[in-house]
Amino acid sequence: MKDKNFITLGIESSCDETSAAVLREGRDVLSNVIASQIKVHQVFGGVVPEIASRHHLDNINTVIDSALSEAGITLKDVDLIGVTYGPGLVGALLIGLATAKSMAFALKKPLVGVHHIQGHICANYIEHKDLKPPFLALVVSGGHTNIIDVTDYNHYEVLGRTRDDAAGEAFDKVARVLGLGYPGGPLIDEAAKKGNAHAVEFKRVFLEKDSLDFSFSGIKTGVLNYLNTQRLKGEEVSVNDTAASFQLAVMEVIVAKAVMAAERMKKDKIVLAGGVAANSLLRKMLKEACDRKGFELYYPSPILCTDNAAMIGCAAYYKYQAGMEDDYYLDAYPNLAI
Ligand code: KG4
Ligand code: ZN
């Protein structure tokens, strides 16, 4: 297998998923094992960094072993090790990074550090075998909301970013105040399907005219104020209506800005990525907007939207193809810029 196919081992541990994946020729996923810690953090209503690190440490070797055996290979078949080195929780990142570095050293294999957000974008190369840059990427996750001009496999220019909360973070916080639980994104998505999205008119925050930046902290406060006002008035709150109205307000802004960016950059391909890319309304609204404008829309299947090591392996492959390689001084950067 090794002679004919280039094998990448990807490792991801930036937040609460410990993941390892094996890829053939960068895009062909032979295994993608994800150990989720959702249940561990659920009782706290969010990710507890120290607990996340400890669980990564407990899980990482088993996850890597499972990824190798599921792919039907052994360590000697691996040609490249790719690992997330930022952004993320520093303690969590360090577990994946230390593991990847020691494996690369012991096996004498090349090591490539991957930016987590670039990994999210690369999930689309796995899903859509013909997809090639240039395109406009919309990355919406628990930690980020970015509009990125992707001019080549390793060239990314950020056109817009959130100035406060990320979209996923806003979903998680609003879900908490609505009593829906954690992680909030999928729960709001579900609740919204049963609600009236025009029941409450939450303010859409577009910032300055022509700005491609986002701000979601205002709408989060808007939901809180609405709930408090209703309670003070003794009026009942419909969780489903509030969830649907909040979701529509967020997605209207995201879709409008993505389309504005594509038009401005003269891009006819929009690539959606990140955990919130699994949102059913976002997919529907963006598809409709792209159809109206004659743009092509790409997004990964839900398992590749969430944090996973296959996307990291794919990004590492393209960096390595371009001659990029890291040494054992590679460190974890919690606020790594794109
Ligand atoms: O990309 P990701 O797995 O982790 C980060 O890199 O942040 O994204 C996790 C985020 C969480 O905030 C979660 O609530 C959100 O993605 N999410 C969703 C949906 N599924 C996950 N948000 C809205 N709708 C969904 N269906
Ligand atoms: Zn992520």
Side-chain angles (χ1 to χ4, degrees):
M1 177 183 278
K2 192 182 162 204
D3 296 332
K4 286 188 261 99
N5 298 293
F6 189 90
I7 298 290
T8 305
L9 172 67
I11 299 175
E12 153 68 33
S13 69
S14 66
C15 190
D16 60 342
E17 263 96 25
T18 319
S19 180
V22 174
L23 293 96
R24 186 167 46 201
E25 300 302 322
R27 287 192 176 207
D28 190 6
V29 179
L30 302 184
S31 65
N32 187 21
V33 177
I34 306 170
S36 170
Q37 301 178 13
I38 283 182
K39 288 217 155 53
V40 178
H41 299 284
Q42 230 155 21
V43 283
F44 302 102
V47 178
V48 182
E50 178 59 25
I51 295 177
S53 312
R54 285 163 195 255
H55 278 270
H56 285 307
L57 196 54
D58 284 346
N59 292 335
I60 193 125
N61 289 336
T62 320
V63 165
I64 292 173
D65 284 348
S66 307
L68 294 170
S69 71
E70 225 178 84
I73 64 157
T74 63
L75 278 177
K76 68 177 183 352
D77 299 311
V78 172
D79 297 299
L80 170 68
I81 298 174
V83 62
T84 310
Y85 73 112
L89 303 170
V90 71
L93 287 165
L94 282 170
I95 307 299
L97 198 58
T99 308
K101 286 201 281 190
S102 19
M103 287 177 77
F105 178 74
L107 299 165
K108 298 186 177 58
K109 304 287 182 183
L111 172 77
V112 169
V114 171
H115 190 291
H116 182 78
I117 297 302
Q118 294 176 6
H120 270 301
I121 295 171
C122 290
N124 280 281
Y125 297 137
I126 296 171
E127 188 83 44
H128 309 285
K129 302 296 180 208
D130 301 328
L131 178 65
K132 286 199 263 282
F135 52 75
L136 189 99
L138 172 63
V139 184
V140 214
S141 76
H144 303 268
T145 309
N146 286 128
I147 296 178
I148 302 170
D149 187 10
V150 183
T151 51
D152 206 343
Y153 284 103
N154 294 297
H155 197 271
Y156 302 84
E157 196 192 327
V158 179
L159 305 173
R161 55 168 58 81
T162 180
R163 294 187 188 166
D164 39 57
D165 289 1
E169 196 179 349
F171 268 78
D172 292 340
K173 287 175 178 167
V174 166
R176 197 179 312 160
V177 296
L178 287 175
L180 285 170
Y182 174 85
L187 298 167
I188 289 195
D189 197 349
E190 278 315 303
K193 287 179 188 152
K194 296 169 263 167
N196 170 12
H198 299 283
V200 194
E201 283 302 304
F202 292 117
K203 191 171 183 297
R204 278 71 168 148
V205 179
F206 284 94
L207 300 170
E208 306 83 30
K209 189 176 175 291
D210 297 336
S211 171
L212 294 175
D213 281 350
F214 299 96
S215 169
F216 297 113
S217 69
I219 188 157
K220 183 189 65 190
T221 316
V223 174
L224 259 179
N225 289 344
Y226 168 73
L227 294 178
N228 288 337
T229 313
Q230 293 301 100
R231 274 171 204 145
L232 283 174
K233 286 197 279 187
E235 282 176 27
E236 223 171 275
V237 168
S238 157
V239 169
N240 294 342
D241 287 356
T242 314
S245 303
F246 159 77
Q247 180 175 265
L248 181 65
V250 169
M251 295 317 179
E252 272 186 11
V253 175
I254 293 179
V255 170
K257 295 214 178 214
V259 169
M260 181 161 85
E263 284 182 322
R264 190 178 301 169
M265 302 312 288
K266 305 203 172 0
K267 294 282 187 317
D268 58 4
K269 272 190 257 181
I270 296 185
V271 165
L272 181 60
V276 185
N279 184 272
S280 56
L281 183 70
L282 177 58
R283 287 171 177 231
K284 181 173 170 283
M285 285 176 64
L286 199 54
K287 177 81 181 87
E288 285 166 5
C290 285
D291 286 349
R292 276 197 302 277
K293 297 283 176 187
F295 299 159
E296 277 177 87
L297 174 65
Y298 298 83
Y299 49 75
S301 49
I303 195 67
L304 289 170
C305 287
T306 192
D307 288 350
N308 69 90
M311 67 185 198
I312 302 303
C314 179
Y317 172 83
Y318 282 107
K319 285 183 88 171
Y320 188 66
Q321 293 297 308
M324 299 180 195
E325 205 181 314
D326 288 291
D327 59 24
Y328 306 128
Y329 290 101
L330 181 67
D331 212 345
Y333 293 92
N335 300 312
L336 185 67
I338 293 182

